[in-house]
Amino acid sequence: MLDAAVHAALASAVGEDNIVSDPVGLRSYECDGLTGFRQVPGLVVLPLDTAGVAAAARVCHQHGVPFVARGAGTGLSGGALPVADGVVISLQRLRRVLEVDPVDRRAVLQPGVTNLDITKAAAPFGLYYAPDPSSQQVCTIGGNVAENSGGAHCLKYGFTTNHVLELTVVLPDGEVVTLGGDTAEQLGPDLRGVFIGSEGTLGIACEITVRLLRVPQTVRTLLADFPSVTEAGEVVSDIVAAGIVPAAVEMMDNLAIQAAEQAVGAGYTLETPAALVVELDGPAAECGEQFEQVKAICERHGCTRLHIAGDAAERAKIWKGRKAAFAAVGRISPDYIVQDGVVPRTRLAEVLGRIEDMGRAAGLRVANVFHAGDGNLHPLVLFDESAGELDRAEQLSKEIAELCVELGGSLSGEHGIGTDKACSMPTMFSRDDLATMDRVRSAFDPAGLCNPGKLLPTPRLCGEAPGRYRPHPLEEAGVIERL
Ligand SMILES: Cc1cc2nc3c(=O)[nH]c(=O)nc-3n(C[C@H](O)[C@H](O)[C@H](O)COP(=O)(O)OP(=O)(O)OC[C@H]3O[C@@H](n4cnc5c(N)ncnc54)[C@H](O)[C@@H]3O)c2cc1C
């Protein structure tokens, strides 16, 4: 329960109309896309502008109350999980595109603007915003900045950090600062770069200037089926070894294909063990020549069907299947965990084989749909909570992430560490590395109020029983109800 004095101070900072305090309303904010972790916040504020965000942060700072920034809540690592008796600062009401400058090719955005709305605003000028998370219809640019989000086309164009020039940030004590600048190269330490990917632990991004790219002259997309994920993995390595940088190379295994096909009818082959979506873009001549090379590589590796998108509608259909794949997995399993890890591209076939073995040993199915060009895996661990499989699924998911580190990769490619993987950070970073990160964080947030418990391991949380929500037996029996 939040102190009445804090509620009153927040109400005078942002207006009572922009506060959620009723128990049912607060429940909407209890988790993000990683629904296994839940915590109802003490209060939610929805400021209307940067000044409102700063005023809310100042109140929290003055009263020593922890707070968590929230965009659309699509995060998959528990980054926006509230803190008990803490405040959620939602950026949902800051959703204006402030400026599109077609000459300098940049846009200035409030943090609640959705990723896709940036491209919609840029489209009349023949421009677009390149990073394209599969959640782009709903996730916000503020969340993208916090997670350094990627997407299918980040293989060629880079992640969020490669496209953000300047940030107006509310620091954890309410001070407003500018990080980065209008030009790509800035003097001094790159604090803009430090902030991007810091998962809401260093402050709240309130104005974001991004680069826009010119829509490519030509786009060619193919869907290729393979007898196994090994052959598909070899195609990915050979494409890159040939010096081709595709706009995207995405892989799906049979389980993911079945789910996606059932959900959206994208024209995938239901029986195929593996499929690749390869997209090339750029000048027509270059694109055409490289496309022939890619086709030859696919054929060399036993491609069983090669479908080339004939027009924009067919291309959109292929992508619809890929982008809907996470959600579609709900059709073939009552519950699933989306894992996110990276391996060197050359070890894709090996890691997929080991994941299959681990799944078999755990008695669980694992579907794979991922950014193959980056080696960025998204194993989806399928389970049935009502059959008591949750703990096994969580354990398997954790072991898969740690396997990625063992193979020379990373705990996360784009979904972040959040609450979910904070305790695994020591498998990737030394004690000194973690202490250094903690000192950077303390420089921004000496009081430790901004999204505490996320990203970096805390001995208390990592040493004790995890704080996942488990229904009380009385709640399961319908005797009591959580509010
Ligand atoms: C179906 C599905 C597909 C997805 N596909 C992809 C994908 O392809 N690539 C990818 O990278 N991710 C993907 N994601 C994950 C997720 O969409 C991204 O991490 C996204 O950037 C989160 O944005 P959000 O607005 O939902 O942020 P939230 O979930 O609300 O918050 C995420 C983190 O950002 C912080 N935060 C939010 N706003 C701000 C701000 N203004 N300032 C500072 N911190 C802030 C929060 O505190 C939290 O730590 C997917 C998720 C789903 C559900």
Side-chain angles (χ1 to χ4, degrees):
M1 184 70 180
L2 201 69
D3 195 271
V6 180
H7 184 149
L10 286 167
S12 71
V14 299
E16 188 64 44
D17 285 352
N18 300 314
I19 285 191
V20 178
S21 60
D22 67 290
V24 175
L26 290 176
R27 279 283 289 279
S28 326
Y29 296 87
E30 69 179 353
C31 66
D32 61 8
L34 184 68
T35 55
F37 291 91
R38 288 168 195 253
Q39 174 62 60
V40 177
L43 205 74
V44 176
V45 297
L46 297 115
L48 301 176
D49 51 23
T50 303
V53 175
R58 228 169 2 252
V59 170
C60 291
H61 178 71
Q62 279 158 4
H63 290 81
V65 174
F67 62 93
V68 178
R70 183 181 173 101
T74 65
L76 291 169
S77 56
L81 180 76
V83 179
D85 295 332
V87 170
V88 166
I89 301 183
S90 167
L91 288 315
Q92 280 291 317
R93 291 186 181 166
L94 279 83
R95 31 190 343 142
R96 277 191 303 134
V97 174
L98 299 172
E99 186 188 340
V100 176
D101 176 349
V103 179
D104 279 339
R105 291 195 205 153
R106 63 196 55 196
V108 184
L109 313 155
Q110 288 192 318
V113 173
T114 66
N115 175 293
L116 196 58
D117 278 348
I118 309 172
T119 287
K120 282 185 186 160
F125 306 101
L127 302 172
Y128 77 110
Y129 178 64
D132 59 339
S134 302
S135 51
Q136 67 189 141
Q137 292 186 14
V138 277
C139 70
T140 67
I141 184 66
N144 293 177
V145 165
E147 300 290 354
N148 189 20
S149 295
H153 292 83
C154 291
L155 172 63
K156 180 169 182 181
Y157 293 102
F159 283 66
T160 302
T161 191
N162 304 108
H163 298 270
V164 171
L165 292 167
E166 186 176 291
L167 295 165
T168 300
V169 168
V170 170
L171 293 176
D173 63 358
E175 186 186 347
V176 181
V177 297
T178 302
L179 307 180
D182 234 13
T183 52
E185 294 304 323
Q186 295 283 311
L187 289 176
D190 181 14
L191 294 177
R192 176 211 62 90
V194 170
F195 189 90
I196 297 170
S198 61
E199 302 190 15
T201 61
L202 305 183
I204 302 181
C206 283
E207 233 177 74
I208 299 149
T209 305
V210 299
R211 287 198 303 144
L212 301 172
L213 302 188
R214 195 196 287 259
V215 174
Q217 186 189 18
T218 316
V219 184
R220 307 281 312 266
T221 308
L222 66 77
L223 174 68
D225 296 344
F226 292 92
S228 75
V229 287
T230 309
E231 269 98 347
E234 285 165 358
V235 167
V236 178
S237 295
D238 281 10
I239 290 174
V240 178
I244 300 168
V245 185
V249 183
E250 299 286 299
M251 196 194 295
M252 285 184 274
D253 70 6
N254 182 261
L255 270 179
I257 289 164
Q258 286 189 34
E261 190 55 23
Q262 280 174 31
V264 300
Y268 298 169
T269 314
L270 275 175
E271 308 76 37
T272 189
L276 286 180
V277 177
V278 184
E279 187 159 284
L280 297 175
D281 67 10
E286 179 189 304
C287 213
E289 190 184 314
Q290 293 189 339
F291 202 70
E292 292 308 313
Q293 282 179 274
V294 169
K295 274 166 55 187
I297 293 171
C298 289
E299 277 152 14
R300 211 164 55 231
H301 286 279
C303 169
T304 50
R305 176 193 170 222
L306 201 134
H307 167 64
I308 297 167
D311 55 26
E314 277 189 30
R315 185 177 324 119
K317 200 168 153 191
I318 293 175
W319 278 114
K320 194 170 175 193
R322 164 58 188 90
K323 296 214 172 191
F326 284 4
V329 164
R331 290 178 170 255
I332 58 167
S333 175
D335 303 291
Y336 62 94
I337 298 172
V338 183
Q339 187 46 276
D340 165 49
V342 184
V343 292
R345 211 168 19 229
T346 48
R347 305 195 78 167
L348 271 178
E350 178 186 356
V351 77
L352 291 170
R354 283 183 67 180
I355 291 172
E356 198 179 338
D357 293 345
M358 288 158 75
R360 206 175 299 116
L364 296 170
R365 294 178 301 162
V366 182
N368 286 289
V369 46
F370 58 97
H371 310 310
D374 295 319
N376 185 185
L377 303 172
H378 290 319
L380 298 138
V381 178
L382 315 188
F383 68 99
D384 182 353
E385 187 165 5
S386 68
E389 293 176 348
L390 173 64
D391 289 342
R392 237 182 320 144
E394 283 179 344
Q395 182 59 27
L396 174 59
S397 176
K398 179 170 181 283
E399 284 170 9
I400 290 173
E402 295 184 358
L403 172 66
C404 292
V405 178
E406 184 195 315
L407 295 180
S410 164
L411 278 175
S412 169
E414 54 184 16
H415 296 171
I417 300 297
T419 309
D420 191 30
K421 294 195 227 172
C423 294
S424 295
M425 286 286 272
T427 62
M428 188 165 167
F429 296 102
S430 71
R431 191 184 284 262
D432 287 347
D433 291 338
L434 293 170
T436 305
M437 290 182 208
D438 199 35
R439 285 168 74 176
V440 172
R441 181 179 187 159
S442 300
F444 280 78
D445 182 23
L449 294 175
C450 190
N451 213 3
K454 314 292 168 59
L455 182 59
L456 296 179
T458 58
R460 185 180 62 80
L461 293 177
C462 294
E464 292 173 8
R468 272 185 180 275
Y469 161 69
R470 299 271 189 288
H472 189 279
L474 287 177
E475 191 185 336
E476 276 184 325
V479 177
I480 58 169
E481 192 188 347
R482 282 169 76 242
L483 289 177

